[in-house]
Amino acid sequence: MNNAPIGVFDSGMGGLSVWREIRKRLPHESLIYFGDGLHCPYGEKPAAEVVGYIDEAIRTLIAHDCKLIVLACNTATMTAVKYLRATYPLPFVGMEPAVKPAAATTETETIGVLATRASLGSDWFGELSGRYAAGVRVVTAVGEGFVEAVEADEEHTPATRRLVERAVAPLLAAGADRIVLGCTHYPFLADVIEEVIANPSVQLIDPAPAIARRVEWLLSQDGRLAEPTHVPELLFLSAAGAEYAEKLRRRATAL
């Protein structure tokens, strides 16, 4: 048993969608959430710049004795997970768009993926699609403005709904019956996306529950789950300072 905390990192508050699932599945685990906030969003920034931001945050989490770190950010996973695994001697769990379950369950043979421009344009996404979606049509759309809307707590404004309509329309027009949420900010828009879809046969797929299961499996394999009697501590950190960290805490408390 090991009562050291699990670290969860994201460019901002989107990774709280993953934090929420880990908290549900492993309620006795202490969690330290680091939401950059200062440099968010990452999707349009150069990879080398993003790796620097991530590395600084990861060193902070390691200084807090985290036993495992979740990169609750698709862009961070794409740009930095190989470097982090080669540099630091602890497990890292990364994100990837849930193309595999979408391709396995589609009835129209067409799946949609909503993600950042950086993720969709990466070799990593191309390899993922080729590996898991052979024979299935994959249509993609950038969630323009989605991250900014979530960061500003503006998920339910008319302007955000228009952004969602613009992004989702080509996926529906192509006949996608599974839509993958390929950025951890996007689940905070799930109810708006579902309203726009207005079709129960079209399912949204969020990879966060699978990430929580992966964390549990890794810790159980190493005998490093927290004791059942452990009283967890929940800490929120940010490169943007105490005000943003408090914003993260309030949002997490409301989940």
Side-chain angles (χ1 to χ4, degrees), residues 117-141:
R117 195 178 310 280
S119 292
L120 294 176
S122 68
D123 292 340
W124 168 71
F125 178 72
E127 293 169 3
L128 188 71
S129 298
R131 188 183 317 134
Y132 296 126
V136 172
R137 184 184 181 197
V138 180
V139 290
T140 64

Side-chain angles (χ1 to χ4, degrees), residues 139-223:
V139 290
T140 64
V142 175
E144 296 280 5
F146 284 20
V147 171
E148 292 85 347
V150 172
E151 289 290 318
D153 295 325
E154 294 178 351
E155 293 96 321
H156 298 97
T157 65
T160 298
R161 184 183 176 92
R162 288 193 293 272
L163 291 174
V164 170
E165 289 171 345
R166 189 178 308 140
V168 170
L171 307 183
L172 298 178
D177 66 344
R178 301 291 183 270
I179 296 179
V180 176
L181 301 177
C183 170
T184 55
H185 279 78
Y186 295 3
F188 288 106
L189 295 167
D191 55 347
V192 181
I193 296 171
E194 288 175 341
E195 287 176 7
V196 169
I197 292 171
N199 184 345
S201 66
V202 179
Q203 298 178 14
L204 296 185
I205 300 183
D206 177 5
I211 297 300
R213 292 193 296 272
R214 176 66 175 168
V215 170
E216 180 181 38
W217 184 84
L218 285 172
L219 293 178
S220 63
Q221 287 294 105
D222 294 341

Side-chain angles (χ1 to χ4, degrees), residues 9-20:
F9 169 78
D10 183 46
S11 63
M13 62 179 58
L16 289 173
S17 62
V18 179
W19 180 95
R20 170 178 57 193

